[in-house]
Amino acid sequence: MNFRIPWIISRRSKIFNISIDYTINIFIYNYIFFKELEITPSSLVSNSLAFFWIVISYILGRYEKNRNSIISSFSKALIKIILIFLLCNSIYFFVNLDLPIVFFKHLDTFNDYISRELNNLFLRSSLYISISSLFIQYFLGIISNNIHNKKEQWIFLGRDYKYKQIIQEIAKDKSNIKLSIFSNQDNLDRLNIEDIKGLVIGNLNDINEKNLDILFNMKLKGVLIESLLTWFENRFHRIPTQIIENKYQLIEKIKSIEDNYQLRAKRLGDLIVSLTLLVITSPLLFVTAFLIFIEDSGPIFYSQTRTGLNGEVIKIFKFRSMKMNAEKNGIQWAKHSDPRITRIGKFIRAARIDELPQLICVIKGDMSLIGPRPERPEIENNSLKDIPYYNCRTLLKPGISGWAQVNYPYGASIYDSTKKLSFDIYYISHFSILLDLLILFKTIKLVLNAKGSKPQI
């Protein structure tokens, strides 16, 4: 498995912060447990606490850079740590329902004494972990912001029209990159390379032998030299079609996924997670079905044909979130504040509950939990005409969530489809189980924050 991939490298500070939190949890819990009881605690309990702590912290955004004022950022950090503390202890006492009752009866047995001590020990441990994690992560966030908030100076070597395309493409991306152009390649040796991060080569065919020697000398001086496609995917974690020079370049970029052990592991994970989610959410499924029916007595489920793996047509199922006969005037994009959406539909769309029936499609093997979102053939036919390389999305099974869904708002136009395709191509190029896990956690974060479920227009 290749760990030198852009989305891991760009998150190295976040991975470091997570490692610090994990160490804090394990060390404090084990230290207090051993000091109080003089025995080594169960590794299952300490690791479960650490894992739960990290997941909830990530969902709440505790590992982000501190960009706000000191008072504002610390207040938010304090609120988040209190929520995690309360949640950890609530779950602990819920799982150990037989332990809290010792507070309401006479402690006249050895077992009662041990139960009380275990309760108090967990409470103290989680409190010390909370305090330590609060201050350490807060200062790490400030340090990370000061280090990574500086603008990286890059020089683009290429044609003026290509430079304008790139500037327009990255205009809405939040990044610390400043890109300027040097179009006079005949005098490349006059380029001032002081205070620049590196050079972006717009077209490798434009580099002559003389310039190649100059670039080599710059490289020896520590200046980064990258092709446009590599530079873009490393910095923005997507691959726009307009920077792809030819189909062969795309073939080289997309790895072979026909016989990949990670695909088999992905399929096994799809089955386990989908079956587990169906069991856990079954009460929610019944409540949702009941609410949909009593609103207008219409059908509970809504089925659509979509394009699946290798262009095959599949059928997906969703909870109906729109009024009956919503498409009597033909197929159309969803809109912001769409009048066709029902009252219960607004809620289940925001919480992504309408997507849960697609777990059946995952179990059947038509879909995966993570992958490019399947599109309707009628809409896809238009996209194939207007968007280059759009059909490469079908190289992997479509997913309920995907890299495009967690990085770009709800799409409702050809423009949005073009942007999302850049994320889909990146995902296909860098597909791995680790990336799927990142998307899964980002999806949970989006769902809990009710973001990305509405079109922008």
Side-chain angles (χ1 to χ4, degrees), residues 317-319 348 352-359 373 400:
F317 301 92
K318 302 173 70 173
F319 278 123
I348 64 175
R352 302 299 206 286
I353 298 174
D354 62 321
E355 308 281 359
L356 287 176
Q358 292 178 53
L359 293 172
R373 281 294 293 164
I400 296 178

Side-chain angles (χ1 to χ4, degrees), residues 244-292:
I244 300 174
E245 296 176 6
N246 51 62
K247 290 183 179 179
Y248 181 77
Q249 190 181 35
L250 186 58
I251 292 172
E252 285 288 299
K253 183 55 61 177
I254 296 177
K255 67 173 67 175
S256 175
I257 52 178
E258 294 178 358
D259 187 23
N260 191 318
Y261 76 93
Q262 296 199 72
L263 282 177
R264 294 188 285 275
K266 178 184 177 75
R267 176 59 183 156
L268 180 61
D270 283 343
L271 287 172
I272 295 174
V273 175
S274 297
L275 289 170
T276 303
L277 284 176
L278 279 176
V279 173
I280 294 175
T281 61
S282 55
L284 179 62
L285 296 176
F286 285 115
V287 171
T288 302
F290 176 72
L291 292 175
I292 291 173

Side-chain angles (χ1 to χ4, degrees), residues 178 208 227:
K178 182 179 179 180
N208 56 41
S227 68

Side-chain angles (χ1 to χ4, degrees), residues 366-388:
D366 293 336
M367 292 182 65
S368 177
L369 289 172
I370 307 298
R373 281 294 293 164
E375 191 54 88
R376 303 179 71 170
E378 299 87 349
I379 294 177
E380 188 171 60
N381 289 335
N382 292 328
S383 298
L384 288 170
K385 298 175 184 176
D386 299 329
I387 307 174

Side-chain angles (χ1 to χ4, degrees), residues 186-456:
D186 292 333
N187 296 302
L188 189 57
D189 53 342
R190 297 182 182 178
L191 176 62
N192 183 9
I193 60 174
E194 293 183 7
D195 301 325
I196 68 169
K197 183 76 173 181
L199 304 178
V200 183
I201 311 300
N203 191 328
L204 296 177
N205 295 325
D206 292 340
I207 304 299
N208 56 41
E209 187 174 347
K210 176 187 174 183
N211 287 343
L212 188 59
D213 290 334
I214 296 172
L215 291 174
F216 183 75
N217 290 328
M218 290 180 179
K219 181 73 175 178
L220 293 178
K221 294 178 181 179
V223 178
L224 296 178
I225 311 292
E226 296 182 3
S227 68
L228 176 57
L229 193 150
T230 300
W231 175 81
F232 204 103
E233 67 172 332
N234 286 349
R235 298 318 182 283
F236 300 96
H237 306 152
R238 60 189 183 92
I239 303 176
T241 56
Q242 65 188 38
I243 69 172
I244 300 174
E245 296 176 6
N246 51 62
K247 290 183 179 179
Y248 181 77
Q249 190 181 35
L250 186 58
I251 292 172
E252 285 288 299
K253 183 55 61 177
I254 296 177
K255 67 173 67 175
S256 175
I257 52 178
E258 294 178 358
D259 187 23
N260 191 318
Y261 76 93
Q262 296 199 72
L263 282 177
R264 294 188 285 275
K266 178 184 177 75
R267 176 59 183 156
L268 180 61
D270 283 343
L271 287 172
I272 295 174
V273 175
S274 297
L275 289 170
T276 303
L277 284 176
L278 279 176
V279 173
I280 294 175
T281 61
S282 55
L284 179 62
L285 296 176
F286 285 115
V287 171
T288 302
F290 176 72
L291 292 175
I292 291 173
F293 180 77
I294 64 172
E295 180 168 0
D296 58 11
S297 301
I300 295 171
F301 299 102
Y302 177 63
S303 65
Q304 283 184 341
T305 56
R306 299 284 179 100
T307 303
L309 179 66
N310 298 324
E312 295 183 2
V313 176
I314 62 173
K315 180 173 283 191
I316 69 166
F317 301 92
K318 302 173 70 173
F319 278 123
R320 182 173 60 87
S321 59
M322 288 190 174
K323 299 174 182 177
M324 292 183 288
N325 300 319
E327 294 187 333
K328 61 182 179 180
N329 296 322
I331 296 172
Q332 53 185 294
W333 296 97
K335 305 180 187 123
H336 188 75
S337 301
D338 199 320
R340 298 174 299 164
I341 301 176
T342 62
R343 286 176 296 176
I344 185 63
K346 293 178 182 178
F347 170 75
I348 64 175
R349 280 191 168 213
R352 302 299 206 286
I353 298 174
D354 62 321
E355 308 281 359
L356 287 176
Q358 292 178 53
L359 293 172
I360 301 296
C361 302
V362 176
I363 295 172
K364 285 174 57 182
D366 293 336
M367 292 182 65
S368 177
L369 289 172
I370 307 298
R373 281 294 293 164
E375 191 54 88
R376 303 179 71 170
E378 299 87 349
I379 294 177
E380 188 171 60
N381 289 335
N382 292 328
S383 298
L384 288 170
K385 298 175 184 176
D386 299 329
I387 307 174
Y389 311 114
Y390 190 81
N391 55 349
C392 73
R393 297 175 73 255
T394 62
L395 287 171
L396 282 175
K397 280 184 183 179
I400 296 178
S401 184
W403 189 239
Q405 281 63 47
V406 299
N407 285 288
Y408 193 84
Y410 190 101
S413 66
I414 290 293
Y415 174 83
D416 290 334
S417 296
T418 305
K419 290 291 185 182
K420 285 198 167 188
L421 176 61
S422 67
F423 289 103
D424 288 332
I425 294 176
Y426 180 91
Y427 172 76
I428 296 170
S429 302
H430 297 278
F431 160 72
S432 69
I433 298 300
L434 284 176
L435 182 54
D436 276 12
L437 287 174
L438 173 64
I439 295 171
L440 179 62
F441 287 130
K442 289 177 76 70
T443 301
I444 295 172
K445 185 177 179 179
L446 282 175
V447 170
L448 294 180
N449 287 280
K451 291 182 177 179
S453 62
K454 293 181 179 181
Q456 293 180 303

